[in-house]
């Protein structure tokens, strides 16, 4: 039983290591990522924020004129400050709500560009949102596929699940020639047996083994 678990967990750990390496190469920046949020969604949030401010001010003013009550009641004698305080409360609530709305829009667009099921992941984060707040987003960020990356041989973009480059047939999952474990393109030595993996463009065979360059020795 333990031998079976080792066989199953071994390839999984190797796959996760390669995924982590490819994620590190993405070099994502906040404002660049924010730009993928649909502009229509951003303008909708802005419009709803302005509408909420107008409604809050109108109700507060109407209540003060008609009944003499104002929110917050501590500023009853200074209605101008009360209106500002009410605007601040609406702004604070709107800020936190907009974070969730923008995250939902981001998950939808980000999943699509990574070749994942955008509708399913968007639904997942929405369903988990009322009870578990950020848990759905945390699951997504932990499970999402790496972005398409340039082929190490020809430079064309390839999907993270591709085994071979469709442009030059470069093996995208090379293995160590000594122990046959899968290695990353950036590895200089095999992480399992310490075999040297010095390679250059064109030195990765289509059979899946990293050809070792001995000329430097």
């Amino acid at each position: 039983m333990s031998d079976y678990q080792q066989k199953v967990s071994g390839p999984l750990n190797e796959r996760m290591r390669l995924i982590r390496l490819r994620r590190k190469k993405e070099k994502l920046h906040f404002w660049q990522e924010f730009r993928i949020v649909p502009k229509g969604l951003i303008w909708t949030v802005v419009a709803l924020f302005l509408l909420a401010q107008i409604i809050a001010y109108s109700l507060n003013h109407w209540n003060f004129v008609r009944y003499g009550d104002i929110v917050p009641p501590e500023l009853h004698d200074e209605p101008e400050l009360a209106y500002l305080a009410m605007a601040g409360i609406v702004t604070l609530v709107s800020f936190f709500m907009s974070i969730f709305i923008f995250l939902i829009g981001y998950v939808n667009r980000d999943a699509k560009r990574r070749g994942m099921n955008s509708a399913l992941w968007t639904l997942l984060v929405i369903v988990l949102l009322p009870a578990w707040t950020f848990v759905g987003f945390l699951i997504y960020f932990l499970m999402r596929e790496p972005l398409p990356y340039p082929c190490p041989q020809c430079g064309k973009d390839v999907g993270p699940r591709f085994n071979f480059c469709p442009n030059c047939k470069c093996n995208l999952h090379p293995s160590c020639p000594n122990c046959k474990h899968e290695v990353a393109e950036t590895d200089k030595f095999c992480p399992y047996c310490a075999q040297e993996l010095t390679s250059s463009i064109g030195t990765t065979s289509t059979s899946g083994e990293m050809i070792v360059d001995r000329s430097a020795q």
Side-chain angles (χ1 to χ4, degrees):
M1 184 68 178
S2 60
D3 182 55
Y4 174 76
Q5 289 176 344
Q6 268 189 325
K7 290 179 181 178
V8 172
S9 62
L12 178 61
N13 290 334
E14 292 176 32
R15 183 66 179 164
M16 292 304 296
R17 187 180 74 88
L18 292 173
I19 287 175
R20 286 193 295 270
L21 285 171
R22 288 185 180 134
R23 281 178 181 168
K24 287 180 181 178
K25 292 194 294 184
E26 290 178 4
K27 297 180 181 178
L28 304 179
H29 301 284
F30 175 79
W31 287 114
Q32 290 179 348
E33 292 301 290
F34 185 75
R35 288 175 186 170
I36 75 171
V37 177
K39 288 183 172 59
L41 182 63
I42 295 175
W43 286 113
T44 299
V45 169
V46 172
L48 290 175
F49 168 72
L50 295 175
L51 181 63
Q53 290 284 15
I54 293 171
I55 292 174
Y57 174 82
S58 301
L59 289 176
N60 211 16
H61 181 69
W62 180 81
N63 199 40
F64 178 69
V65 172
R66 189 175 181 88
Y67 300 107
D69 296 330
I70 200 167
V71 178
E74 294 81 5
L75 299 174
H76 182 273
D77 297 331
E78 298 179 272
E80 293 80 7
L81 290 178
Y83 295 143
L84 287 174
M86 188 65 179
I89 293 172
V90 172
T91 301
L92 186 63
V93 173
S94 300
F95 174 74
F96 286 106
M97 291 185 65
S98 65
I99 290 176
F100 289 109
I101 294 172
F102 290 150
L103 278 174
I104 292 172
Y106 176 81
V107 167
N108 181 268
R109 288 295 180 88
D110 187 58
K112 188 177 297 183
R113 70 173 177 168
R114 293 173 185 271
M116 302 165 66
N117 191 323
S118 58
L120 181 62
W121 280 104
T122 304
L123 180 63
L124 175 68
V125 296
I126 291 175
V127 169
L128 294 178
L129 191 59
W132 302 98
T133 57
F134 285 103
V135 170
F137 299 109
L138 182 62
I139 293 173
Y140 171 74
F141 287 120
L142 289 175
M143 299 296 294
R144 66 179 179 174
E145 292 284 342
L147 285 170
Y149 61 98
C151 169
Q153 183 163 297
C154 69
K156 296 288 186 180
D157 283 345
V158 292
R161 289 185 178 273
F162 287 8
N163 291 322
F164 293 88
C165 174
N167 184 61
C168 66
K169 294 201 301 183
C170 172
N171 191 324
L172 301 173
H173 301 293
S175 61
C176 171
N178 183 46
C179 68
K180 309 304 180 184
H181 278 88
E182 193 171 6
V183 294
E185 311 88 49
T186 54
D187 288 344
K188 294 181 179 180
F189 296 91
C190 175
Y192 304 98
C193 69
Q195 171 72 37
E196 186 178 3
L197 301 174
T198 305
S199 61
S200 59
I201 294 176
T203 59
T204 304
S205 70
T206 57
S207 64
E209 295 185 359
M210 188 83 85
I211 299 176
V212 180
D213 182 9
R214 300 290 184 183
S215 60
Q217 295 182 354

